[in-house]
């Protein structure tokens, strides 16, 4: 079986990096500026096992080129949407990029559900 690459995309602060860390134990934000600003700037990589890798792409509009570079090599996409924020501009932009690149295999993950009540969710 070939290596499967899963890419996480979505708006800034919707929890992409936190999801990768909870799944793999690795913080993909490794640059000094990423850590100090609490924001993914460059694509990050983590390995779940010898068959599955995860790519964490930036959600901020200023780093859209980095996002495109990251999603060009993925097999499966996870579009992350924070429950407390909903669909935001980069959510839509990332979804459109996934469609343009013909990445039709993927899921949507609603994150941060602990921050909203059941009715809102």
């Amino acid at each position: 079986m070939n290596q499967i690459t899963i890419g996480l995309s979505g708006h800034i602060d919707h929890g992409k990096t936190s999801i990768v860390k909870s799944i793999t134990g690795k913080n993909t934000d490794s640059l000094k500026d990423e850590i100090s600003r609490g924001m993914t700037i460059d694509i990050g990589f983590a390995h779940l096992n010898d068959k599955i890798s995860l790519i964490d792409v930036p959600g901020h509009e200023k780093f859209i080129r980095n996002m495109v570079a990251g999603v060009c090599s993925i097999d499966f996409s996870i579009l992350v949407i924070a429950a407390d924020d909903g669909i935001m501009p980069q959510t839509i932009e990332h979804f459109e990029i996934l469609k343009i690149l013909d990445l039709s295999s993927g899921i949507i993950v609603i994150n941060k559900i602990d921050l909203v009540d059941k009715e809102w969710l």
Side-chain angles (χ1 to χ4, degrees), residues 43-99:
I43 55 177
F45 301 92
H47 298 285
L48 181 60
N49 56 42
D50 61 344
K51 303 215 184 288
I52 300 173
S53 295
L54 296 144
I55 297 178
D56 177 19
V57 303
H60 197 282
E61 65 182 327
K62 291 182 182 177
F63 306 115
I64 198 68
R65 289 182 188 163
N66 296 14
M67 180 275 182
V68 172
V71 298
C72 284
S73 62
I74 68 169
D75 302 303
F76 187 86
S77 65
I78 298 176
L79 183 65
V80 179
I81 302 172
D84 63 330
D85 226 5
I87 296 172
M88 299 296 286
Q90 269 61 60
T91 311
I92 296 166
E93 192 170 48
H94 285 203
F95 181 71
E96 292 298 325
I97 291 168
L98 293 169
K99 285 186 352 185

Side-chain angles (χ1 to χ4, degrees), residues 6-10 19 23 74-81 95 98 103-110:
I6 300 170
L8 286 87
S9 61
I19 290 172
I23 293 171
I74 68 169
D75 302 303
F76 187 86
S77 65
I78 298 176
L79 183 65
V80 179
I81 302 172
F95 181 71
L98 293 169
L103 292 167
S104 57
S105 296
I107 60 171
I108 295 172
V109 170
I110 307 298

